[in-house]
Amino acid sequence: MERNPEEAGFDPARLNRITEHLDRNYIQSGKIAGCQALVARHGQVAYFESLGCADAERSTPMRDDTIFRIYSMSKPITSVALMQLYEQGHFQLNDPVSRVIPGWRDQKVWVSGDADNMELKAPDGPMTFRHVLSHSGGLTYGATNHPVDKVYRRIGVNRDRNETLSTFMERIGQTPLRYEPGTAWLYSLSTDVCGGLVEAISGMPFDEYLQKNIFDPLEMADTSFWVAPEKQKRFAANYQRNPDKTLKLIDDPERSAYLTKPGFFSGGGGLTSTTADYLRFCEMLRRGGELGGARILGPRTIDLMHKNHLAGGRDLAGMAIGAFSETAYEGVGFGLGFAMTLGEVEAGTLGEGDYYWGGAASTIFWVDPKEDLVAIFMTQLMPSATFNFRGQLKNIIYSAIVD
């Protein structure tokens, strides 16, 4: 991949601090096995490097075409898919989701009590498409000790690869809502629900819809819910950090469940991809919904998606319940599939107006319309909160812009 840092408005020496930082502080110290970082501006790739190992056990070097588990970086792709159907007139953002999923009409809101003795009430207003696109509809991940989360586990609301989207949607409808729709923000299974809505509205299996309407038009040849046999040698290992700060292999690329096609297509976290593929998705966003002659969304729809849709224009610090997320909360809003930096002072970071998300294995990306910039970072280390890669890279990248 050709790099043109000067044409993109960067000081090359300052931009190469990315390599120095990642190699010295993460690769050589063994904090991660390997990684990739890419920076592009004005459509020009300014920086792209592959460092360390994709598989430390086998000493397999990180390749430019290594395939990664992108986990929650699947969410923006799913959100784009649902907004394609919005553009076709299938729904309005304030429409109840129960218009498409009638079994959800009688969902109640948790008021008090434990999983065996709950007080519930009818919601003040329905869960809408806007709510599920912005994690503000009353859903949760089912992972805490809250009574509603316990109901999720009891009913079997999960993203088991042997599950189906239709069964998943049915089970969600049997659970109470964690809070009144629109009144809070809680990172949740909402984007998996968005995938179920794409399937229900389009009449196509979700994986086939993504292939036909996003991956094929954008030529994202290596993005899928599973890794085909001929691509297995490019699949990275996934690691977890032990209490003693060593790495523990948690998903062997030669034995991974990702080597077989799943039954459940998780729009919230199921995709694998490459840096080059995800760049094509980001470039489509940067260019207002089009790339290489393929129009995925209209530019005004893209603009709508990265506006702050939280009630009253508040930031996540004023709306979020629960600590689990892929972003800090201060000075950060949330739109239709993306977080965004509302203010540099409040967020304590450069890049006001950028929109972004990350994945559980420490992958991140952002698009900055003001700077006309895209940045992508790929590695495989869980959990994503272990290191603040996004903050560190932002410091280096923005301070390297000199035009």
Side-chain angles (χ1 to χ4, degrees):
M1 192 179 293
E2 185 179 353
R3 290 85 156 164
N4 296 297
E6 292 96 340
E7 288 185 30
F10 288 96
D11 178 323
R14 293 174 74 85
L15 196 58
N16 280 332
R17 290 173 177 173
I18 297 173
T19 304
E20 298 165 13
H21 173 71
L22 293 173
D23 187 51
R24 180 180 65 251
N25 295 312
Y26 291 101
I27 304 296
Q28 292 184 27
S29 63
K31 291 178 180 177
I32 59 175
C35 63
Q36 278 178 2
L38 182 145
V39 182
R41 192 162 176 251
H42 309 317
Q44 296 274 354
V45 174
Y47 177 94
F48 178 47
E49 294 295 337
S50 301
L51 306 171
C53 290
D55 181 345
E57 279 63 37
R58 298 176 180 89
S59 299
T60 306
M62 186 69 70
R63 297 171 32 157
D64 288 356
D65 62 355
T66 290
I67 296 172
F68 301 88
R69 302 156 194 78
I70 64 170
Y71 290 113
S72 288
M73 276 170 53
S74 307
K75 287 180 168 73
I77 294 173
T78 300
S79 301
V80 164
L82 186 54
M83 290 304 288
Q84 287 182 318
L85 298 171
Y86 166 86
E87 288 191 330
Q88 295 169 30
H90 288 287
F91 65 89
Q92 302 299 310
L93 289 179
N94 293 330
D95 284 347
V97 172
S98 59
R99 259 197 55 211
V100 175
I101 312 294
W104 289 24
R105 283 180 183 147
D106 296 324
Q107 270 188 303
K108 301 292 193 294
V109 178
W110 175 85
V111 177
S112 63
D114 60 26
D116 296 311
N117 187 27
M118 284 188 174
E119 179 187 351
L120 305 174
K121 66 178 284 292
D124 295 337
M127 183 198 309
T128 67
F129 283 83
R130 185 197 308 273
H131 293 149
V132 293
L133 281 158
S134 61
H135 296 280
S136 59
L139 302 178
T140 178
Y141 255 123
T144 75
N145 287 323
H146 190 278
V148 173
D149 289 54
K150 291 178 179 178
V151 173
Y152 273 51
R153 295 194 292 273
R154 181 179 298 173
I155 292 175
V157 177
N158 55 50
R159 298 187 290 181
D160 188 287
R161 289 175 68 81
N162 298 317
E163 185 68 86
T164 65
L165 256 177
S166 59
T167 304
F168 167 82
M169 297 289 277
E170 289 172 13
R171 289 178 178 168
I172 285 271
Q174 299 168 28
T175 65
L177 300 178
R178 170 70 172 79
Y179 56 88
E180 286 281 356
T183 64
W185 186 91
L186 180 62
Y187 198 37
S188 67
L189 291 167
S190 286
T191 315
D192 289 289
V193 166
C194 290
L197 291 169
V198 169
E199 194 167 276
I201 294 169
S202 70
M204 295 177 64
F206 183 47
D207 64 324
E208 293 180 17
Y209 181 93
L210 291 182
Q211 194 66 48
K212 178 181 178 182
N213 293 282
I214 297 179
F215 302 152
D216 284 347
L218 291 180
E219 299 178 12
M220 296 170 66
D222 289 322
T223 304
S224 175
F225 288 105
W226 66 300
V227 178
E230 66 273 16
K231 300 180 181 182
Q232 184 272 320
K233 291 188 182 301
R234 292 196 280 132
F235 191 32
N238 197 12
Y239 296 91
Q240 179 179 297
R241 200 176 195 216
N242 288 319
D244 66 358
K245 301 183 179 180
T246 59
L247 293 179
K248 175 185 177 183
L249 178 67
I250 57 173
D251 192 27
D252 188 326
E254 291 192 358
R255 298 173 179 82
S256 174
Y258 282 93
L259 300 178
T260 58
K261 186 176 181 178
F264 180 69
F265 303 112
S266 171
L271 288 171
T272 59
S273 190
T274 61
T275 298
D277 268 17
Y278 213 85
L279 174 63
R280 295 193 66 77
F281 178 72
C282 290
E283 277 292 289
M284 176 274 294
L285 296 173
R286 183 190 67 84
R287 290 166 53 90
E290 177 274 337
L291 183 67
R295 170 64 64 185
I296 304 300
L297 284 176
R300 287 161 183 78
T301 305
I302 298 285
D303 289 345
L304 177 65
M305 292 180 73
H306 63 83
K307 284 182 166 68
N308 184 21
H309 285 255
L310 298 180
R314 286 176 285 177
D315 68 0
L316 288 175
M319 287 284 288
I321 54 177
F324 171 64
S325 179
E326 294 294 341
T327 182
Y329 291 161
E330 290 76 16
V332 174
F334 204 89
L336 307 178
F338 310 95
M340 71 285 303
T341 304
L342 298 177
E344 292 181 338
V345 173
E346 296 82 358
T349 181
L350 294 164
E352 181 174 337
D354 73 343
Y355 55 102
Y356 63 93
W357 204 239
S362 302
T363 60
I364 55 173
F365 84 96
W366 71 90
V367 179
D368 185 332
K370 291 183 180 179
E371 291 291 351
D372 204 27
L373 179 145
V374 167
I376 301 168
F377 177 77
M378 296 286 203
T379 190
Q380 301 281 256
L381 177 73
M382 300 181 80
S384 59
T386 308
F387 303 112
N388 184 14
F389 289 114
R390 172 175 151 82
Q392 295 162 17
L393 289 172
K394 287 193 88 172
N395 292 359
I396 297 171
I397 292 167
Y398 283 85
S399 62
I401 299 173
V402 292
D403 65 1

